[in-house]
Every structure is written in C-alpha cells, then in structure tokens.
Amino acid sequence: MADAYCSDCKRNTEVVFDHSAGDTVCSECGLVLESHSIDETSEWRTFANESGDNDPVRVGGPTNPLLTDGGLSTVISKPNGVTSDFLSSSLGRWQNRGSNPDRSLILAFKTIATMSDRLGLVATIKDRANEIYKKVEDQKSSRGRNQDAILAACLYIACRQEDKPRTVKEICSVANGATKKEIGRAKEYIVKQLELEMGQSVEMGTIHAGDFMRRFCSNLGMTNQAVKAAQEAVHKSEEFDIRRSPISIAAAVIYIVTQLSDDKKPLKDVAIATGVAEGTIRNSYKDLYPHLSKIIPGWYAQEEDLKNLCSP
C-alpha cells in the first residue's frame, strides 16, 4: 500500500499495485492511475547456498563496456553428472576450443573483484581498477610481467585516484603472493604506460595522514573520543614541516593519543595495526614531540599530561 493523488477523488488516496497487469489502482474509487508499469523488483529471492546449481534467475549480469561483446555472450554450462546428453557435452567442448578474446580480461576482472572484496573497497574503485587494467592490456606490453603485481598495482592506483588510498602493504596482503617491490615496479610501469597513451601526467591524488586514520584506529579498537583527537592532531600536524610519510605520521599520532588515554596501547600493537615498523614510529614520534602542545587538542590532554609522556 502507498499513497498517490487520485484525479477522481481529488486527494491523495491509498493505491493498490496489480503486479500481473502492471496497473496502479485507487483503492477507493477503482480508477487506474497508471497502467503497464514496469516492475523493477526481483522476481524472487535467491539463496545461492541453498539453491545449488539450480539458479532460477532468467537474466544475466549487467553489461560490461570493457569487454568486446559487452559481457552478453552465451556460455554453455557444464552438464550435470556422467549421464548427461552427448550433444550438450560436445557443445561444451567446442565452446572451450573456441577462442574468446576476453577470457584473460574476465579472469583479471574476477581477480580484481576478489582483492577489492577482501579489502572492503567500494564498486567505484573496482571499476576504476578494471579500466586501468584494460588500458594497459590494450597496449599489449604487459606480457611476461608478473600478472598478480600488475593487477595489485591497478587497484593501488585506483584507490589513490578515488581518494581512498590504501598502503602498499595492505594491497600486498591480498595480491596472491606479489611482493611490495614487485607491486611498486608494476605501479611505475603502469603510470608510464598511461602517460604514453594520454600524452600527459597521470593524476594520482595526494596522500594525507588523515586518509588512514579511521581505519587504523578501528584496527586498534580505539574509542570515539580518541579517534576524534587523533584526527584533529593529524590535521594540525600538517602545519609543521615534518618530513615523514603520511602513514608514519598517522601511526605516530595514534601511538601518542593512545599513550594519553586510559587504554594505552603498546608500540608493537600500533605497529601491527598500521603496518609501520616500530623503529619508524619511534623516529616519527621523535619529530612530532617538540610540537605536541600545538598538535594534541587541548580538550583531550592538558599540558601536564604531555609532560608525562616519555621523551624520545
């Protein structure tokens, strides 16, 4: 039941949807307000784990403009059981023999989707990574290179361009064995190829320490008040000439904020949650220490609290 304006009743009335006819009918006077409307809801609820191989959906997935056929080609499914019809099994064999120009692309897109899901990335980042990989693949110059590193680097660049950066270590954790050095080389190679194609420099987006703050704080299970203080401290730290990477500064600020709270976190836990080495956090802490009175919010810690912190 929903409300809509009825021209006969001259007011908003409850309407009934007749899904079989596609009509919207006034419940009071019976006037058909809209006819042959398209029902955009799903046909039924599908539970993949329960339905097994019997998928009742009669439509395929959405079109993919990155594929030659738009992703709308027909695929003959494998026959069920050993007593399957010979004709269908023969068709399946012929399909496997046929050359599909998009086979490598489809596999690459599936790998990118898997990595995106494991990192909890939104669909726009996954789509951007697919676009970057398609541009590189079209140049036919990535053959012989580590494919896992190429795909991971595409995802890293996509995160940067969508202003949702991830550290190389985070990308490396889902990169099917590709090392940080391999991903770094692949990233430089992809940027170079994109610059050659477009004839201009590739915008990668600027990394700020605040981009990582919420995620790192969540990994440590910090309170909302501590998270807010850490975000304000990182924002103020940008006013000073601290020549450290944004990730290192974020890790050091989190360590300082936790030491000022009742729930103190050891340096080892901060290093694990942020992916930054303990020595790097100590050095960043040393650089931040002279500016703590201006960086740490006054509502979170007093001057006496800052003096009680251990000197670097």
Side-chain angles (χ1 to χ4, degrees):
M1 284 288 195
D3 289 345
Y5 181 79
C6 177
S7 57
D8 277 6
C9 300
K10 305 297 182 182
R11 59 189 174 84
N12 284 340
T13 60
E14 287 188 347
V15 295
V16 178
F17 297 103
D18 185 354
H19 294 282
S20 60
D23 295 338
T24 303
V25 184
C26 174
S27 62
E28 295 191 9
C29 67
L31 178 68
V32 178
L33 303 178
E34 184 180 357
S35 61
H36 305 295
S37 59
I38 299 175
D39 185 5
E40 297 181 352
T41 59
S42 59
E43 297 178 288
W44 43 61
R45 297 175 67 187
T46 302
F47 299 94
N49 294 335
E50 298 176 6
S51 60
D53 295 330
N54 300 320
D55 188 357
V57 178
R58 295 197 297 265
V59 296
T63 58
N64 189 342
L66 300 179
L67 301 178
T68 304
D69 55 9
L72 300 178
S73 59
T74 300
V75 178
I76 303 170
S77 62
K78 295 181 180 179
N80 296 324
V82 294
T83 60
S84 60
D85 183 62
F86 175 76
L87 179 62
S88 57
S89 62
S90 298
L91 289 173
R93 285 200 299 269
W94 278 108
Q95 176 179 260
N96 291 332
R97 291 176 187 174
S99 58
N100 184 358
D102 293 329
R103 180 173 297 176
S104 60
L105 273 180
I106 293 172
L107 292 175
F109 292 166
K110 286 182 178 178
T111 303
I112 290 175
T114 301
M115 290 192 294
S116 299
D117 291 341
R118 292 177 64 186
L119 288 172
L121 303 177
V122 295
T124 52
I125 296 178
K126 180 191 71 174
D127 295 339
R128 176 62 66 89
N130 289 343
E131 292 175 9
I132 294 172
Y133 179 77
K134 180 68 164 60
K135 291 178 181 178
V136 175
E137 181 68 15
D138 287 344
Q139 297 183 16
K140 305 295 183 185
S141 57
S142 61
R143 293 178 179 176
R145 296 181 177 271
N146 187 331
Q147 195 70 4
D148 291 327
I150 293 288
L151 295 173
C154 289
L155 194 59
Y156 175 81
I157 295 171
C159 290
R160 291 278 300 270
Q161 291 182 343
E162 292 293 324
D163 294 327
K164 300 293 182 184
R166 293 296 188 272
T167 65
V168 178
K169 185 170 288 187
E170 288 177 302
I171 298 292
C172 185
S173 66
V174 298
N176 299 323
T179 63
K180 289 174 60 178
K181 183 178 290 187
E182 290 172 336
I183 295 174
R185 290 174 179 171
K187 186 205 76 171
E188 294 176 0
Y189 161 76
I190 291 172
V191 170
K192 184 178 179 181
Q193 293 299 314
L194 294 178
E195 289 177 347
L196 289 175
E197 181 191 12
M198 297 187 301
Q200 60 184 10
S201 60
V202 177
E203 290 292 334
M204 291 282 287
T206 306
I207 296 180
H208 299 281
D211 296 333
F212 309 96
M213 193 57 65
R214 274 198 172 277
R215 195 164 64 256
F216 289 167
C217 292
S218 176
N219 293 339
L220 281 169
M222 296 169 58
T223 63
N224 292 334
Q225 190 178 25
V227 173
K228 184 180 178 182
Q231 288 178 320
E232 289 186 21
V234 160
H235 182 69
K236 291 181 181 179
S237 69
E238 296 178 355
E239 301 173 3
F240 302 94
D241 185 21
I242 302 171
R243 300 183 180 180
R244 295 284 175 182
S245 70
I247 303 171
S248 302
I249 293 175
V253 167
I254 289 174
Y255 175 69
I256 294 168
V257 168
T258 57
Q259 296 309 301
L260 292 170
S261 67
D262 296 332
D263 184 19
K264 293 179 172 56
K265 306 288 184 182
L267 184 61
K268 182 179 179 181
D269 290 353
V270 177
I272 294 173
T274 59
V276 181
E278 294 183 28
T280 305
I281 297 177
R282 288 195 191 95
N283 292 333
S284 300
Y285 173 73
K286 184 177 181 180
D287 294 341
L288 288 170
Y289 188 79
H291 312 289
L292 288 184
S293 59
K294 298 178 181 178
I295 291 177
I296 302 299
W299 58 265
Y300 185 76
Q302 303 300 322
E303 193 73 27
E304 290 297 323
D305 298 326
L306 299 178
K307 291 180 180 179
N308 292 332
L309 287 174
C310 60
S311 58

